[in-house]
Amino acid sequence: MKVKELIAELSKQDPELEILCYTEDETILPENHLFRLIDIESISIIKGEKRRGDDGIPSLKIGVEGYIQKHVIINLLTEF
């Protein structure tokens, strides 16, 4: 999702509402739960290159030389 898409979606909502995220990703669900709530801790910009590690998990290579793309990073917390 691009920043402009997120802004467009959020602008349709009451600006006084709290934002919570959730996931149904079974790899991080607590046992016997259908979803997990996630809170936004911070938002920042980072330069890096999207990649997959040797294990196939998506990652970000930070501080690489050459073509470096800016990304908005949203730090999420599962305990709040």
Side-chain angles (χ1 to χ4, degrees):
M1 176 176 276
K2 302 268 185 193
V3 170
K4 66 182 177 182
E5 296 167 332
L6 180 59
I7 290 169
E9 289 301 315
L10 290 175
S11 69
K12 298 175 189 175
Q13 308 304 320
D14 177 347
E16 297 301 317
L17 293 176
E18 182 178 4
I19 297 174
L20 291 176
C21 305
Y22 83 100
T23 184
E24 296 176 6
D25 184 340
E26 294 177 358
T27 61
I28 63 171
L29 285 182
E31 190 173 337
N32 299 319
H33 288 260
L34 297 176
F35 63 92
R36 184 171 198 162
L37 284 181
I38 303 168
D39 195 20
I40 299 171
E41 180 185 47
S42 63
I43 300 174
S44 59
I45 302 249
I46 195 166
K47 291 181 180 179
E49 204 173 300
K50 291 192 296 186
R51 297 205 170 164
R52 289 193 179 268
D54 293 337
D55 55 6
I57 294 176
S59 187
L60 192 65
K61 186 170 183 180
I62 300 170
V64 295
E65 299 206 13
Y67 180 70
I68 297 177
Q69 199 173 20
K70 283 185 182 179
H71 302 276
V72 175
I73 299 293
I74 301 174
N75 185 25
L76 304 173
L77 297 174
T78 57
E79 298 294 327
F80 54 94

